[in-house]
């Protein structure tokens, strides 16, 4: 069985993630191809798409949100993701059990003895009036009936797991600050969530496997689970295994892939790319060594924005006073510093509507910056 080394896997990830060459495709198609973008920080997807698409215009994504063609909702790993409306409807029921389990992982003691199906029905009944509510407001309306869990546990279980909702614009629009207001996913989109397959088969799980490999492969089953958080996909993998090709990584793990998906030559040049916080190009794997050194793995869950140099995480970045500041994690060659500065100026211009192209690159190794900064809003 062919062994793919770390560099080969890294190049495959860059190609699938639209980071090797910026893609000339519509924003909606990019969001679909990527299986959504992690989006608990509302402005981060704009940087993620800027790094992946040619001539990306933020208004295009804002228009898709306002036009109900993409939505912000709890989905993979129980985190807020920006996904297409079609994927939200198709995937939500398949994630129900995982979402419950993840919330219970934090609030099992508080929710002990609570009938979650009864709580779900009550939450949906309250939300059926289509009045936008915050998590706290929904929990408050049900607290008299369920006083024991407390508002935080009750609210998170309702909003992140039991009641399929979307976060309404203006939250998530370009340069807009807004609190979270939720409405039923089905009401916002005007269609019901797809129910589980009645015959016990798992077509949604099989589709998720194919979609994951198209955007992240070659990858192991553990990587697939790390991306979506779902435990029950081995059966789906087995059902489509004859469609797939297999490899091994240098650790001996079996890697699955689609036969015709791109696997570039490991020596293919990789341009500098600036990634937003919590980008799935890193978080979408259990073994992230193809793109980030183990010593820096903590950056991927700490909300650090990172810079890829030669396909690997080589620096962090933030924005301060209109200047993109870069803190290298190791020595950068003169050529690499030039490329980082060039992309940094382009990013500063994008974030400021051409008002600034200032970039600073630290001369020394700074490691993790004290503050992660904020993308201008």
């Amino acid at each position: 069985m062919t062994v793919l080394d770390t560099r080969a896997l890294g190049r495959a990830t860059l190609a699938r993630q639209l980071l090797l060459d910026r893609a000339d495709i519509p924003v909606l198609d990019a969001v679909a191809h990527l299986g959504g973008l992690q989006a608990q920080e509302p402005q981060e997807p704009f940087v993620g798409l800027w790094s992946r698409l040619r001539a990306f215009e933020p208004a295009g994504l804002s228009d898709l949100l306002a036009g109900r063609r993409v939505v912000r909702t709890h989905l993979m790993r129980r985190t807020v993701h920006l996904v297409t409306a079609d994927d939200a409807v198709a995937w939500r029921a398949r994630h129900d059990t995982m979402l419950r389990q993840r919330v219970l992982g934090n609030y099992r003691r508080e929710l002990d003895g609570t009938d979650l199906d009864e709580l779900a029905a009550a939450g949906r009944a309250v939300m059926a009036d289509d009045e936008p509510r915050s998590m706290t407001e929904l929990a408050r309306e049900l607290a008299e009936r369920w006083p024991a869990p407390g508002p935080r546990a009750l609210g998170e279980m309702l909003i992140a797991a039991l009641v399929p909702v979307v976060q309404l614009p203006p939250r998530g629009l370009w340069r807009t600050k807004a609190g979270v207001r939720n409405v039923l996913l089905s009401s916002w989109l005007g269609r019901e969530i797809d129910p589980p397959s009645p015959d016990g088969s798992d077509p949604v799980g099989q589709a998720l496997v194919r979609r994951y490999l198209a955007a992240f492969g070659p990858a192991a089953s553990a990587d697939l689970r790390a991306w979506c958080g779902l435990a029950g996909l081995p059966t789906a993998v087995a059902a489509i295994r004859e469609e797939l090709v297999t490899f091994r990584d240098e650790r001996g793990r079996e890697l699955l892939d689609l036969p015709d998906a791109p696997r570039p030559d490991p020596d293919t040049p990789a341009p500098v790319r600036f990634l937003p916080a919590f980008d799935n190009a890193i978080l979408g794997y259990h073994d992230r060594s193809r793109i980030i050194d183990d010593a820096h793995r903590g950056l991927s869950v700490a909300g650090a924005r990172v810079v890829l140099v030669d396909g690997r995480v080589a620096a962090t970045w933030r924005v301060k006073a209109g200047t993109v500041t870069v803190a290298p994690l190791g020595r950068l060659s003169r050529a690499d510093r030039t490329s980082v500065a060039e992309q940094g100026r382009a990013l500063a211009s994008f974030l400021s509507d051409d008002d600034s192209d200032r970039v600073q690159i630290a001369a020394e190794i700074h490691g993790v910056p004290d503050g992660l900064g904020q993308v201008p809003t």
Side-chain angles (χ1 to χ4, degrees):
M1 190 179 295
T2 301
V3 175
L4 299 177
D5 64 18
T6 299
R7 189 175 176 88
L9 292 174
R11 289 302 188 267
T13 291
L14 295 179
R16 312 290 175 91
Q17 286 288 306
L18 314 180
L19 293 167
L20 198 58
D21 294 299
R22 280 186 168 95
D24 189 17
I25 61 175
V27 174
L28 184 66
D29 292 350
V31 174
H33 169 75
L34 296 168
L37 294 93
Q38 190 155 327
Q40 66 263 46
E41 296 292 338
Q43 297 296 298
E44 301 299 303
F46 291 94
V47 175
L49 290 170
W50 173 83
S51 288
R52 289 171 164 92
L53 300 179
R54 293 191 185 100
F56 171 66
E57 293 291 340
L61 180 56
S62 290
D63 289 347
L64 290 172
L65 271 165
R68 311 188 188 198
R69 301 186 69 191
V70 301
V71 296
R72 294 171 48 82
T73 187
H74 287 88
L75 206 59
M76 284 77 76
R77 306 187 299 276
R78 208 209 83 177
T79 53
V80 176
H81 270 71
L82 182 78
V83 297
T84 68
D86 289 344
D87 285 344
V89 168
W91 294 355
R92 182 52 170 79
R94 185 63 178 82
H95 286 73
D96 278 353
T97 299
M98 178 272 293
L99 294 171
R100 290 189 181 202
Q101 290 173 343
R102 294 245 169 164
V103 178
L104 283 174
N106 291 331
Y107 299 107
R108 189 171 301 277
R109 183 178 62 183
E110 291 88 342
L111 293 164
D112 183 45
T114 302
D115 186 321
L116 296 183
D117 291 335
E118 185 179 352
L119 179 61
R124 287 188 175 95
V126 171
M127 297 294 290
D129 63 3
D130 293 336
E131 185 69 26
R133 289 175 174 84
S134 68
M135 182 179 76
T136 301
E137 289 167 342
L138 177 58
R140 187 181 297 132
E141 294 195 45
L142 295 172
E144 184 175 346
R145 186 172 172 187
W146 282 278
R152 185 71 186 185
L154 199 66
E156 287 206 24
M157 178 55 80
L158 286 162
I159 292 297
L162 298 182
V163 182
V165 296
V166 298
Q167 297 183 356
L168 287 187
R171 187 165 179 84
L173 302 183
W174 178 238
R175 296 178 174 224
T176 301
K177 287 185 177 181
V180 178
R181 309 291 291 174
N182 304 283
V183 296
L184 290 175
L185 173 62
S186 56
S187 296
W188 181 248
L189 296 182
R191 46 182 163 149
E192 294 299 321
I193 294 166
D194 291 349
S197 178
D199 61 4
S201 63
D202 190 12
V204 176
Q206 295 170 28
L208 282 168
V209 174
R210 296 186 187 99
R211 294 281 295 280
Y212 174 75
L213 293 176
F216 295 88
S221 294
D223 297 319
L224 169 64
R225 180 172 179 174
W227 168 68
C228 63
L230 299 176
L233 289 178
T235 301
V237 170
I240 67 168
R241 182 170 280 273
E242 291 187 359
E243 302 176 18
L244 308 178
V245 294
T246 56
F247 303 93
R248 297 274 180 198
D249 65 13
E250 293 175 298
R251 295 166 47 193
R253 298 189 313 161
E254 181 186 56
L255 305 176
L256 307 171
D257 206 7
L258 303 174
D260 298 325
R263 290 178 288 274
D265 187 292
D267 293 327
T268 303
V272 168
R273 291 288 186 256
F274 282 69
L275 297 186
F278 308 114
D279 195 286
N280 277 335
I282 301 175
L283 292 184
Y285 299 96
H286 174 71
D287 180 2
R288 299 168 187 168
S289 62
R290 68 178 68 192
I291 198 167
I292 189 170
D293 293 342
D294 287 342
H296 301 139
R297 181 184 172 99
L299 294 173
S300 61
V301 294
R305 302 178 179 93
V306 300
V307 184
L308 302 184
V309 177
D310 193 29
R312 300 190 63 76
V313 173
T316 60
W317 68 274
R318 56 179 174 168
V319 179
K320 186 176 182 179
T323 300
V324 171
T325 60
V326 177
L329 298 169
R331 300 292 180 187
L332 295 178
S333 70
R334 182 174 302 219
D336 288 339
R337 289 177 71 88
T338 298
S339 297
V340 169
E342 180 183 350
Q343 277 296 300
R345 284 191 292 270
L347 176 59
S349 180
F350 167 73
L351 293 174
S352 67
D353 281 342
D354 298 323
D355 187 53
S356 168
D357 64 355
R358 297 187 301 273
V359 60
Q360 289 182 341
I361 304 175
E364 303 294 334
I365 301 172
H366 283 257
V368 184
D370 293 333
L372 298 178
Q374 293 292 326
V375 173
T377 56

